[in-house]
Structures are given as structure tokens and as C-alpha cells.
């Protein structure tokens, strides 16, 4: 069997290889694999050489004209990768943009080997982990974890209001999105809270680092990508007064495009000790949904959330709302192609559910869709304390699937209605239709302990067309994975993970183009080891050649 997943191929950076006659990707650069040294008149200009040390190098690189010894000019036109969108070829880049002589070659992969992305003819999952797992393979046996070196140590997490109080998130948010070439983008922040640096790592389809984009002295607060390779990042700027958010869009090569401020005179994202932020793409626009602090009018001094829309092509902004749930304690935003719509979800400790003015006896929290449609009441105190927390939303066969942690007993009013030492948190699952109306909650756990950090993604393994989802959560320091049907019935019971975890409230799971589920995390603040997990579906995808 020969499986071609039509993913981007392996990028191998070596000294020189493409032959002098070139090939389908363009002209060659006169080099062979064994030429690594700078030498005159051997026909090859290896990376790191120049015209003074090797007369085979261009003397006019950068003038915008394709001259002798060049394959690309200007330098910005040189390929950044040599992907031919075929995972069963070894893609080799030779030369360098600095010398205007980048060339690509592609040789078939024929041997059985793990984690090269290809399942050649005659191989199987028994001798090549890139071959599709047999139908029915358990989730734990599909899990593959790799480590990527980050640009610098990841930022520490802030203290954030969670269940009836606040606690540290440990590590700053990590955002994962599939990329058009079947690679993955992972956004994170390095440095310190006082001196942050926004980063986006681009991984290839084999989960190896291609490059890391440095986006400046900002904190990353969201990441989303488009089918053509454009992507956008939600960036928090602490240098402005008040502190502010903007959405910046980049092309597939990481070149900056438009950047749009999300400033509003009513409320501003002054801190993320309450709530969080999400960025999503769908229907030709980006949605940014985030916690805000009131700075004027009726909202002054209070905590809420805001939703802004940005046209993907122009960056033009329109307002969804500038004051939604209040206090908005956690937020989600997800686009459903079936519904052709975004769904905004919040957990609030007070409004819109509270009707009285004596919070000591009247306060009530809840989980809401689109700031108004109640899924369920939860104990709340109108002071930052609430007995529920959002986990993640997945694109459903229709509409959405939502998971969260909350106290499953019926909610009661008042600021003394919940006691975290005697009351617990379980994981809930709810379906939301294309009309944005919720179904009944299905409780996935019923333990006496506390579950949290839930996540969900659509699961479509090869050989099984039934509607199903992978759901994960934490219980103390233990992280678990399970598989459920479209109605929340367990198809595979929870299993404890020993090699994978995810961040607190990161909404981490994403379904990749070929049906795999991926996510990323750091084990601790300051770490440079970016961990990347992949649940292998055995599926295939058609990927863009960027």
C-alpha cells in the first residue's frame, strides 16, 4: 500500500543538492550534496559563501534582476520552503536567499520509517507509524508527542478568577491552529509580564519547526488562520493608556499586512486577571471576543466582554457589542461552517441572570450563548466568584458541541451559595444547533473531586464515519482523554495520559485538515520546550502549496 496524504513534504536544509539543470520547481544552482566548502569555479555556491570567497556566487544578488548564478531575485521572491505538497517526497532546499540561488529538489521516499509523514508502498502501521492506524485503535495508541525548541522561555501565567476565587494559570496562553499547507501555527508569549514578546511558531506537517515569527513587544491573546495561508494574531499592548488590543494580519510568509485597533470609549482590555480572549476566522472575517473593564458611562469600573468583527481582506472593523456578559469570567468563540456563523459563549457571575439588587441574596451566575441565551444557571456571587468555567467548543456535524466544568446540582442564589470545600466540579457536554439554541446538558463525570480544563474536537478517524468527538479534561494533575458520540455517550472510556497534557483554560484541541487532532503546551513557565501532541486519525487531506 502506498499512502500519499498530499501533505507538504519534508524540508531538509543541507548545503547544496539540486542539479545544474534544475527541475519542475525552477532552475538548479549547480550543486551536489557533497559540496559544502566555498571554492572557486566548482559550479556551486553553498549557503554561507559569497562572491569574495566563491566566484560561483552572484555578484549582483538583490538588484531585482535574474543574473548569472541566480535562481531568484529579489531575495524576497526566493522560496522559504521547498514543499511540493506531497508527503512522500523528501524535499531538499539548497543554496540561500542571501545568494539569490535557492533551489529545490524532491526525491521519492521508499523506506518504512516513523514520523516522516509518508507510508510508502509495502509499509504498514506495524513498521511505519505514518501508516494509518487500524480502525478501532484506541486514542492512547494514536497519540504522538514531539518537542520543538521555542525562541525563548515562555511567559508565566497570571492569577485569574476561576471557581469561587482566583488562582494562577501557571503558563501564559498557548494557541494552536492548523495551517493551509498541513503544518500548524502555534502562538505564545516569551519574556515577562512587564517585558513580553509575541511569537508564532510555524511547524511543518511532520511537526518540526520551520521558523518562528517575532511579532514585537506584545502579549499574544489569540490566533486564527485562513485557508489561503493568511493568519491573524490578537495582540495585547500594555504600553498604551488604557491598555489595548489589536488584530494584526500576516500573509503565508509571515509578512505583515493590516493591523486594526479594537479601542472603544466604553470599555478596554485593561487586564486578564478576569476572563480571557479568543480570535476566530470564518465567513470571510475575523471575530475577536475578549474581557473588558468599563472606563466610562454605565460600565465604568465594572467587568464585561466585547465582540468585534474584522473584514479579512481589509481589516475594517464592525462592532458586535461593546458590553456583553457581566462580569464575564470566561469566553469562547467558534465558527461553524454548517451554521455559517460564529458562536460566542460566556460564563458570568452576575448578569444577565441576576434580577435583584441585593447580591448577598439575589446573585446568580450562568452559562450563556450570544450574551443572552441561557444554557443553565450556576451559583454566582457578582463579585468574581462563580461555580462554572468554560472549556472548549467544537465544530459539530451541525452547529457546535460545548464542554465546560460546573457544579451539577441545581444552582441557588446568593453570595454564600457555593462552598468549594464541600461542593465539586464535573464536566458538562451540550449540543448547540445551527439556530444557536442549546440542548440538554449531559454530565460526563460524576466524581467527588474537581474536574477542569476541558477541551473538545471533532474526531473523524479513517474507517469510521460515525459522528464522534474527542473530549479531554484534568482531574488534579492527571489529564484524561475520552471519545463520545454526538449526543455525549461514551464510545471510549476516559484514559489517563502519561505523556501529554495541556494548558489551563487554553481551549487547546483543534481538528487538522486530515482529521488528526492537535494541540500544544509548555510544562512550566520559563520553559523553551514547546510540546506538540497529535492524535493520528489515519485520514488524508489536500494541502496548499505555499
Amino acid at each position: 500500500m502506498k499512502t500519499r496524504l498530499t501533505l507538504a513534504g519534508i524540508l531538509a536544509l543541507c548545503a547544496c543538492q539540486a542539479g545544474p539543470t534544475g527541475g519542475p520547481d525552477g532552475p538548479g544552482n549547480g550543486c551536489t550534496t557533497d559540496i559544502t566548502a566555498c571554492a572557486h569555479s566548482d559550479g556551486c555556491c553553498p549557503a554561507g559563501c559569497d562572491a569574495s570567497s566563491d566566484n560561483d556566487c552572484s555578484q549582483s544578488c538583490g538588484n531585482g534582476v535574474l543574473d548569472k548564478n541566480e535562481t531568484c531575485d529579489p531575495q524576497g521572491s526566493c522560496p522559504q520552503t521547498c514543499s511540493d505538497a506531497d508527503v512522500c517526497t523528501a524535499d531538499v532546499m539548497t543554496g540561500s536567499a542571501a545568494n539569490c540561488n535557492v533551489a529545490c529538489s524532491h526525491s521519492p521516499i521508499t523506506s518504512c520509517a516513523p514520523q516522516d509523514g509518508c507510508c510508502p508502498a509495502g509499509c504498514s502501521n506495524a513498521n511505519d507509524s505514518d501508516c494509518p492506524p487500524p480502525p478501532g485503535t484506541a486514542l492512547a495508541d494514536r497519540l504522538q508527542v514531539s518537542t520543538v525548541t521555542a525562541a525563548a522561555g515562555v511567559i508565566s501565567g497570571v492569577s485569574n478568577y476561576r471557581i469561587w476565587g482566583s488562582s494562577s494559570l501557571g503558563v501564559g496562553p498557548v494557541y494552536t491552529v492548523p495551517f493551509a499547507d498541513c503544518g500548524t501555527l502555534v502562538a505564545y508569549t516569551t519574556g515577562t509580564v512587564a517585558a513580553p514578546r509575541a511569537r508564532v511558531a510555524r511547524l511543518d506537517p511532520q511537526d518540526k519547526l520551520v521558523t518562528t515569527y517575532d511579532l514585537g513587544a506584545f502579549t499574544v491573546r489569540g490566533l486564527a488562520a485562513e485557508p489561503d495561508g493568511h493568519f491573524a494574531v490578537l495582540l495585547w499592548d500594555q504600553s498604551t493608556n488604557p491598555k489595548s488590543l489589536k488584530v494584526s494580519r500576516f500573509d503565508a510568509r509571515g509578512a505583515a499586512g493590516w493591523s486594526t485597533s479594537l479601542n472603544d470609549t466604553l470599555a478596554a482590555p485593561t487586564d486578564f486577571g478576569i476572563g480571557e480572549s479568543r480570535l476566530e476566522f470564518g465567513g470571510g472575517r475575523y471575530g475577536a471576543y475578549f474581557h473588558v473593564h468599563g472606563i466610562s458611562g454605565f460600565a465604568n469600573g465594572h467587568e464585561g466582554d466585547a465582540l468585534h468583527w474584522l473584514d479579512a481582506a481589509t481589516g475594517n472593523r464592525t462592532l458586535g457589542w461593546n458590553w456583553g456578559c457581566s462580569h464575564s469570567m470566561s469566553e469562547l468563540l467558534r465558527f461553524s461552517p454548517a451554521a455559517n456563523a460564529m458562536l460566542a459563549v460566556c460564563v458570568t457571575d452576575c448578569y444577565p441572570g441576576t434580577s435583584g439588587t441585593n447580591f448577598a441574596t439575589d446573585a446568580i451566575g450562568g452559562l450563556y450563548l450570544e450574551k443572552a441565551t441561557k444554557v443553565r444557571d450556576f451559583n454566582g456571587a457578582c463579585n468574581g466568584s462563580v461555580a462554572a468555567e468554560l472549556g472548549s467548543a467544537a465544530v459539530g456535524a451541525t452547529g457546535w458541541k460545548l464542554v465546560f466544568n460546573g457544579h451539577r446540582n441545581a444552582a441557588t442564589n446568593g453570595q454564600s451559595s457555593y462552598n468549594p470545600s464541600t461542593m465539586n466540579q464535573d464536566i458538562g457536554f451540550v449540543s448547540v444547533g445551527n439556530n444557536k439554541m442549546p440542548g440538554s446538558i449531559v454530565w460526563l463525570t460524576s466524581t467527588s473531586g474537581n474536574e477542569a480544563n476541558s477541551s473538545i474536537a471533532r474526531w473523524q478517524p479513517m474507517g469510521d464515519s460515525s459522528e464522534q468527538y474527542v473530549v479531554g479534561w484534568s482531574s488534579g494533575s492527571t489529564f484524561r482523554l475520552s471519545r463520545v458520540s454526538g449526543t455525549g455517550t461514551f464510545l471510549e472510556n476516559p484514559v489517563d495520559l502519561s505523556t501529554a497534557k495541556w494548558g489551563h483554560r487554553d481551549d487547546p484541541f483543534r481538528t487538522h485538515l486530515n482529521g488528526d487532532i492537535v494541540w500544544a503546551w509548555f510544562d512550566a513557565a520559563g520553559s523553551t520546550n514547546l510540546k506538540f501532541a497529535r492524535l493520528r486519525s489515519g485520514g488524508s487531506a489536500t494541502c496548499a502549496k505555499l
Side-chain angles (χ1 to χ4, degrees):
M1 175 183 69
K2 185 174 186 180
T3 302
R4 289 185 178 269
L5 303 184
T6 57
L7 306 176
I10 299 168
L11 171 60
L13 291 175
C14 65
C16 286
Q17 182 176 1
T21 59
D25 286 295
N29 55 14
C31 297
T32 57
T33 317
D34 58 347
I35 300 178
T36 60
C38 306
H40 296 304
S41 303
D42 63 358
C44 175
C45 171
C49 303
D50 58 34
S52 64
S53 59
D54 191 326
N55 63 9
D56 300 296
C57 297
S58 170
Q59 299 184 19
S60 55
C61 177
N63 67 358
V65 178
L66 200 62
D67 294 319
K68 181 182 178 182
N69 295 329
E70 295 181 355
T71 62
C72 51
D73 200 337
Q75 292 157 308
S77 67
C78 298
Q80 289 186 325
T81 73
C82 284
S83 168
D84 62 354
D86 184 350
V87 78
C88 283
T89 60
D91 303 333
V92 178
M93 176 183 286
T94 65
S96 66
N99 285 319
C100 295
N101 72 333
V102 175
C104 298
S105 66
H106 312 282
S107 57
I109 295 174
T110 58
S111 60
C112 307
Q115 290 189 263
D116 62 5
C118 178
C119 175
C123 302
S124 69
N125 189 254
N127 59 11
D128 189 331
S129 63
D130 299 297
C131 296
T137 299
L139 292 176
D141 295 326
R142 295 175 181 267
L143 181 63
Q144 178 179 297
V145 177
S146 55
T147 300
V148 174
T149 301
V154 68
I155 198 170
S156 61
V158 299
S159 181
N160 193 291
Y161 278 88
R162 303 197 68 184
I163 299 301
W164 223 259
S166 62
S167 62
S168 174
L169 297 179
V171 175
V174 178
Y175 302 96
T176 305
V177 298
F179 199 45
D181 68 348
C182 291
T184 309
L185 298 179
V186 180
Y188 58 95
T189 307
T190 60
T192 65
V193 173
R197 204 80 192 171
R199 315 276 187 173
V200 174
R202 179 178 171 184
L203 309 185
D204 68 14
Q206 288 72 50
D207 307 331
K208 295 178 174 60
L209 183 66
V210 175
T211 189
T212 299
Y213 303 116
D214 182 344
L215 305 187
F218 306 103
T219 301
V220 176
R221 296 300 318 183
L223 175 69
E226 303 171 42
D228 66 355
H230 283 87
F231 64 95
V233 187
L234 184 60
L235 298 170
W236 189 44
D237 188 349
Q238 300 180 68
S239 69
T240 60
N241 186 19
K243 297 171 185 176
S244 59
L245 281 167
K246 65 177 180 179
V247 176
S248 296
R249 185 181 186 239
F250 302 85
D251 69 14
R253 298 168 65 90
W258 54 257
S259 187
T260 300
S261 170
L262 305 183
N263 287 349
D264 188 86
T265 58
L266 181 69
T270 57
D271 72 270
F272 286 99
I274 299 176
E276 53 229 349
S277 53
R278 304 298 179 200
L279 186 68
E280 181 79 350
F281 173 80
R285 63 180 181 172
Y286 288 95
Y289 185 38
F290 51 94
H291 164 264
V292 291
H293 175 77
I295 57 175
S296 70
F298 73 88
N300 194 28
H302 299 291
E303 312 297 328
D305 62 46
L307 176 64
H308 295 250
W309 305 115
L310 301 104
D311 181 83
T314 66
N316 289 341
R317 178 179 63 149
T318 55
L319 185 64
W321 59 74
N322 57 5
W323 195 259
C325 298
S326 177
H327 307 122
S328 188
M329 308 307 296
S330 55
E331 301 86 25
L332 290 172
L333 186 67
R334 186 72 79 246
F335 179 78
S336 167
N340 192 31
M342 298 265 193
L343 179 71
V345 189
C346 81
V347 160
T348 170
D349 70 340
C350 198
Y351 297 113
T354 300
S355 57
T357 57
N358 184 356
F359 294 154
T361 57
D362 299 335
I364 192 75
L367 194 162
Y368 287 83
L369 311 177
E370 300 292 302
K371 75 174 182 174
T373 303
K374 182 168 65 178
V375 177
R376 210 198 88 159
D377 289 328
F378 286 97
N379 305 67
C382 294
N383 62 3
S385 294
V386 67
E389 183 175 68
L390 290 174
S392 181
V395 176
T398 59
W400 301 262
K401 306 295 179 181
L402 175 66
V403 291
F404 59 92
N405 58 277
H407 188 57
R408 63 187 298 169
N409 291 349
T412 56
N413 295 65
Q415 293 181 324
S416 300
S417 61
Y418 186 83
N419 185 339
S421 65
T422 60
M423 303 166 82
N424 75 319
Q425 294 283 301
D426 284 307
I427 301 300
F429 169 100
V430 64
S431 299
V432 180
N434 284 344
N435 61 357
K436 299 187 178 181
M437 296 303 296
S440 299
I441 294 173
V442 176
W443 292 99
L444 301 181
T445 65
S446 58
T447 70
S448 60
N450 291 308
E451 279 80 43
N453 304 311
S454 56
S455 194
I456 185 171
R458 181 82 183 271
W459 181 234
Q460 297 175 290
M462 187 186 72
D464 187 347
S465 61
S466 63
E467 183 184 2
Q468 55 188 298
Y469 301 83
V470 168
V471 180
W473 61 84
S474 66
S475 179
S477 61
T478 301
F479 286 75
R480 296 187 169 114
L481 281 182
S482 65
R483 191 164 49 90
V484 302
S485 71
T487 59
T489 300
F490 278 111
L491 302 174
E492 186 174 336
N493 288 329
V495 59
D496 294 353
L497 300 179
S498 59
T499 61
K501 55 187 287 190
W502 47 89
H504 293 266
R505 294 203 343 191
D506 272 359
D507 181 23
F509 295 178
R510 291 294 183 271
T511 302
H512 221 303
L513 304 183
N514 67 340
D516 292 356
I517 293 175
V518 298
W519 68 91
W521 77 96
F522 290 88
D523 284 330
S527 174
T528 58
N529 291 326
L530 173 62
K531 301 295 184 68
F532 188 85
R534 180 182 292 270
L535 282 173
R536 298 179 58 252
S537 67
S540 61
T542 299
C543 308
K545 183 179 179 182
L546 303 176

